[in-house]
Amino acid sequence: MKILDGKLLAKSLNDELSKKILSYNNEYGRKPHLLVILVGDNPASQVYVKNKEKKAAEVGIKSTIIRLSKDVSENNLLKVIDEANANISVDSILVQLPLPNHINSNKVIDRISIEKDVDGFNSKNIGLLALGRPKVIPCTPLGCYKMLESILDLEGKKVIILGRSNIVGKPLSFLLTNKNATVTLAHSKSKNLKDLCLSSDIIIAAIGKPNFVKKEWVKENAVIIDVGINVIEDKNGLRKIVGDVDYEDVIKKVSFISPVPGGVGPMTIHCLLSNTFLLTKN
Ligand code: GUN
């Protein structure tokens, strides 16, 4: 069994990226600029945004965070996005999800200009990805792909993705299909999940259920990518972060597995930074 070390891979990719950003800065006298909009005080979102800010600075990307109250009206949020779209000093825009319930997330996401949509969640970007003509690929799916690509050839591989969210499962199914994998996109209404997993070379878990995937579901020498980030209390009442896969249970059976934390998370942030640079160059 080998650990698919996302932290290490992200570090090496970030080092490469920072060299490219340095030479861009030398040529144009400016840094790429990422604008993050954070609405409300969701604790997980606060942590994610802090991490993005820190990593952006490390590779030479300027980041600005606009913090809005959880009561902000949808109209005011849309106005902030309109201003950012029109601001030529801003290269990429990210609205941290989830948004409060009174705001229509689809409307907000589609308001971000396609030229600045660093998450690739805009319906046009998702459509282009589905058609195999991607411009900006969503960060977590792209991070999962880069991890897989670092260890194997996806062509003809049977992949099961657990979870059909708009930000991970669905775009990832398009991306891996475009890379010639045979993809099953499973979800809470799927039947025979265990059998579907057992016949797959690669399992990607993105369902948000702690330790959901057990060894009985996993084929010998399978590869596992664990997208889950779940906070649980252990036997001693201590809070800890675990994935959607029961790591200790499956570990003897798999050929590779990405840990939580230190797997997909750092790769997602790397892809946010590389997407920012892509939009900056464009
Ligand atoms: N919330 C959880 N994951 C993401 C992500 O990839 N992008 C944004 N904008 N919000 C998120």
Side-chain angles (χ1 to χ4, degrees):
M1 192 280 309
K2 294 216 181 74
I3 292 172
L4 243 176
D5 189 335
K7 201 168 163 187
L8 197 67
L9 181 58
K11 183 174 180 333
S12 116
L13 294 170
N14 285 340
D15 286 347
E16 256 173 63
L17 179 65
S18 66
K19 286 181 196 140
K20 291 181 194 160
I21 291 176
L22 185 63
S23 80
Y24 170 87
N25 194 353
N26 287 339
E27 190 169 346
Y28 296 99
R30 70 182 290 276
K31 289 180 173 182
H33 184 188
L34 163 69
L35 182 85
V36 176
I37 301 172
L38 175 59
V39 181
D41 42 24
N42 179 316
S45 293
Q46 308 267 359
V47 173
Y48 295 153
V49 167
K50 267 241 141 53
N51 275 339
K52 288 167 184 174
E53 191 181 18
K54 177 165 167 267
K55 290 290 168 192
E58 282 174 18
V59 300
I61 290 176
K62 171 182 166 175
S63 63
T64 303
I65 300 175
I66 298 183
R67 291 186 164 80
L68 301 172
S69 134
K70 65 180 189 307
D71 306 317
V72 70
S73 70
E74 184 178 289
N75 263 337
N76 281 344
L77 174 56
L78 293 174
K79 259 187 222 154
V80 171
I81 293 172
D82 289 344
E83 279 163 24
N85 283 338
N87 182 344
I88 55 164
S89 91
V90 171
D91 299 295
S92 71
I93 302 169
L94 179 150
V95 177
Q96 185 66 33
L97 302 175
L99 289 169
N101 288 334
H102 69 278
I103 294 176
N104 179 341
S105 302
N106 291 333
K107 201 166 166 185
V108 168
I109 288 166
D110 272 348
R111 192 71 160 241
I112 300 171
S113 151
I114 183 146
E115 317 295 333
K116 300 192 180 186
D117 174 29
V118 71
D119 266 323
F121 292 164
N122 187 305
S123 50
K124 181 147 189 219
N125 268 323
I126 296 287
L128 288 169
L129 176 63
L131 294 170
R133 303 190 270 122
K135 278 196 157 41
V136 175
I137 300 172
C139 305
T140 299
L142 184 57
C144 292
Y145 165 67
K146 286 187 181 185
M147 288 174 97
L148 288 171
E149 191 201 21
S150 75
I151 53 162
L152 51 77
D153 180 3
L154 275 163
E155 187 164 306
K157 293 286 189 306
K158 285 186 77 174
V159 182
I160 184 160
I161 301 169
L162 305 175
R164 58 178 156 181
S165 71
N166 289 342
I167 66 180
V168 183
K170 252 180 237 164
L172 185 54
S173 73
F174 300 141
L175 175 58
L176 299 185
T177 302
N178 294 341
K179 300 294 179 184
N180 297 324
T182 303
V183 179
T184 301
L185 182 56
H187 47 78
S188 56
K189 302 285 187 292
S190 297
K191 301 235 160 69
N192 303 322
L193 266 185
K194 179 181 169 187
D195 290 337
L196 292 172
C197 286
L198 271 173
S199 64
S200 298
D201 306 308
I202 300 167
I203 299 174
I204 304 177
I207 41 175
K209 290 190 180 159
N211 298 327
F212 184 73
V213 176
K214 305 282 183 191
K215 67 171 183 282
E216 291 74 23
W217 291 36
V218 177
K219 177 163 99 172
E220 204 72 47
N221 291 322
V223 171
I224 297 188
I225 304 275
D226 192 347
V227 183
I229 303 178
N230 308 289
V231 181
I232 62 162
E233 273 189 17
D234 70 6
K235 282 172 263 166
N236 305 316
L238 292 174
R239 281 154 58 92
K240 67 173 198 172
I241 293 175
V242 299
D244 291 347
V245 178
D246 190 333
Y247 188 90
E248 300 302 334
D249 196 49
V250 305
I251 201 158
K252 288 213 179 84
K253 240 176 159 180
V254 300
S255 62
F256 281 95
I257 182 167
S258 71
V260 178
V264 175
M267 290 301 295
T268 295
I269 296 189
H270 162 71
C271 293
L272 170 68
L273 306 176
S274 65
N275 278 352
T276 289
F277 187 52
L278 178 77
L279 292 171
T280 304
K281 286 184 297 177
N282 291 349

